[in-house]
Amino acid sequence: RGALMPDAHLGYALPIGGVIATQDVIVPAWVGYDIGCGMCAVPTTFQVGDIITHARTIFDAIYHAVPVGFHHSTHETPWQHENYPRSPFLAKLFTVNGLLQLGSLGSGNHFIEIGCDEHDQVWIIVHSGSRNLGHSVASHYMKLASGGSKARQGHDGLAVDSALGRDYLMDLAFCLDFALESRHEIIRRVVEQIQRSCRGNAQWAQLINRNHNHAEEKEGLWIHRKGATHAETGMMGVIPGNMRDGSFIVEGKGNPLSLWSSSHGAGRVLSRKAAKDQLSMKAFSSSMEGIVARVTNRTLDESPDAYKDIFSVMQQQKDLVTVHCHVKPLINIKG
């Protein structure tokens, strides 16, 4: 069984926005390289006026506190991971990489955003993944699933009751937990930096976490989501649009036709190279007026014009999610 979300676009093996259900088989390439990539959003008690007043200071402070791009921390971030099961491969890999990438943002479309909704509620929203850890795990099992052939790495699967299948599922779960812990750490650091200028805190009990690169078992099937958000009945989620139009806080409707899923964002209409070749800095700068962000040639591939119209995408999935609020950005941090 399969479904395609309204933000769908080309991706490796399975399209981004693709959801596929299998029986007794797990396909690493249908989860993708950035295992556990997803969204966290938390409402706060910060005041909109204070955020606007101190926006530039907060913006600079976050860039100092959270490594972005290919950078990582210079010291390990504490995480009680010792009791998490993992394969011998991942145990060795994690020893080599340690915890240096925990709490780092990455690059591309990963972001930290501070914005406000229609009721002047300030939100912190983070989009990030499992960094090199997830990429290494995905590459390892995709190669094993294909019998070691680089030419065939794509649609090869592993029996879930095989030794390799069990190892992959175990390491998949570890990467999901790592990515969530990393988003938590990023939010913690962001809150700390905002508090240097503003009174308030995160309302941690209301934090929403939804990853959009994973596989999970449901009703005897393995649901692979690659760039698609889990959207069971009553399940809260976050669907980002772009640097200008912000994100939507949503509640799932549990539609079985979409395999209990919704879009994970707006979806690209231009590749990164095409965006840099075709879009203008003038239009990009104009579209971002009033938002404190890196608006440079370096981030031109993340211009709003590189994406589908998020309002149209949300309209197309009214049978998948209910919108609770729309969070418009005040500060945007990109890798």
Side-chain angles (χ1 to χ4, degrees):
R1 299 170 60 186
L4 203 59
M5 302 302 104
D7 61 338
H9 58 280
L10 283 176
Y12 175 78
L14 191 68
I16 309 302
V19 187
I20 294 187
T22 60
Q23 190 169 28
D24 303 326
V25 172
I26 190 83
V27 183
W30 292 354
V31 172
Y33 284 104
D34 196 359
I35 297 170
C37 181
M39 305 292 304
C40 272
V42 64
T44 76
T45 58
F46 296 115
Q47 299 298 306
V48 176
D50 291 344
I51 297 295
I52 293 172
T53 298
H54 300 285
R56 177 57 62 174
T57 298
I58 294 168
F59 174 83
D60 292 338
I62 292 173
Y63 269 111
H64 280 100
V66 179
V68 302
F70 293 103
H71 298 289
H72 53 69
S73 299
T74 56
H75 60 278
E76 291 187 351
T77 301
W79 178 39
Q80 302 302 315
H81 61 87
E82 291 79 10
N83 294 326
Y84 285 77
R86 69 203 81 177
S87 72
F89 162 76
L90 182 52
K92 182 178 179 181
L93 177 69
F94 200 67
T95 299
V96 172
N97 287 286
L99 298 167
L100 296 180
Q101 291 196 326
L102 194 70
S104 63
L105 185 64
S107 57
N109 61 357
H110 291 173
F111 66 82
I112 301 165
E113 219 159 61
I114 302 166
C116 65
D117 64 19
E118 302 91 332
H119 309 291
D120 282 345
Q121 172 88 64
V122 173
W123 291 76
I124 298 171
I125 299 176
V126 173
H127 176 210
S128 68
S130 53
R131 307 289 277 116
N132 183 63
L133 182 73
H135 192 282
S136 297
V137 167
S139 300
H140 174 71
Y141 286 101
M142 285 164 58
K143 183 176 181 180
L144 292 175
S146 68
S149 170
K150 287 186 178 181
R152 283 183 48 211
Q153 291 176 38
H155 301 292
D156 302 285
L158 300 167
V160 295
D161 62 355
S162 68
L164 275 178
R166 289 191 295 269
D167 278 355
Y168 174 72
L169 292 173
M170 186 163 52
D171 291 349
L172 170 71
F174 187 96
C175 289
L176 295 179
D177 286 324
F178 176 90
L180 173 57
E181 184 66 24
S182 187
R183 288 191 287 275
H184 280 180
E185 174 62 17
I186 289 171
I187 294 174
R188 188 195 66 76
R189 295 185 194 182
V190 170
V191 169
E192 185 177 72
Q193 297 310 310
I194 298 175
Q195 288 175 332
R196 294 177 182 272
S197 303
C198 309
R199 294 180 63 182
N201 206 341
Q203 296 177 300
W204 288 101
Q206 298 179 48
L207 183 138
I208 301 165
N209 174 65
R210 290 272 81 80
N211 68 69
H212 43 239
N213 285 1
H214 68 240
E216 61 147 19
E217 190 176 17
K218 181 179 175 69
E219 298 179 2
L221 299 173
W222 283 95
I223 312 296
H224 300 66
R225 295 186 177 93
K226 187 179 181 187
T229 302
H230 197 178
E232 300 276 0
T233 303
M235 180 180 280
M236 298 303 293
V238 189
I239 300 177
N242 56 61
M243 292 175 71
R244 175 192 62 209
D245 296 321
S247 303
F248 292 85
I249 306 300
V250 301
E251 181 179 342
K253 293 186 174 182
N255 193 324
L257 294 178
S258 70
L259 293 172
W260 310 278
S261 308
S262 68
S263 87
H264 85 311
R268 298 191 73 90
V269 291
L270 293 174
S271 69
R272 297 195 177 282
K273 184 179 185 305
K276 290 197 170 183
D277 288 345
Q278 298 177 30
L279 300 181
S280 76
M281 271 303 305
K282 183 177 180 181
F284 182 26
S285 297
S286 177
S287 72
M288 293 296 293
E289 187 174 347
I291 302 168
V292 179
R294 274 186 178 172
V295 182
T296 66
N297 283 317
R298 179 177 169 183
T299 56
L300 181 59
D301 57 343
E302 283 295 302
S303 165
D305 291 334
Y307 287 88
K308 296 180 184 181
D309 178 3
I310 185 59
F311 301 100
S312 175
V313 168
M314 297 307 297
Q315 182 69 25
Q316 291 172 51
Q317 56 186 337
K318 291 175 69 175
D319 56 341
L320 308 184
V321 294
T322 298
V323 174
H324 276 226
C325 64
H326 176 203
V327 183
K328 295 183 178 180
L330 300 170
I331 300 171
N332 176 282
I333 307 292
K334 282 280 187 184

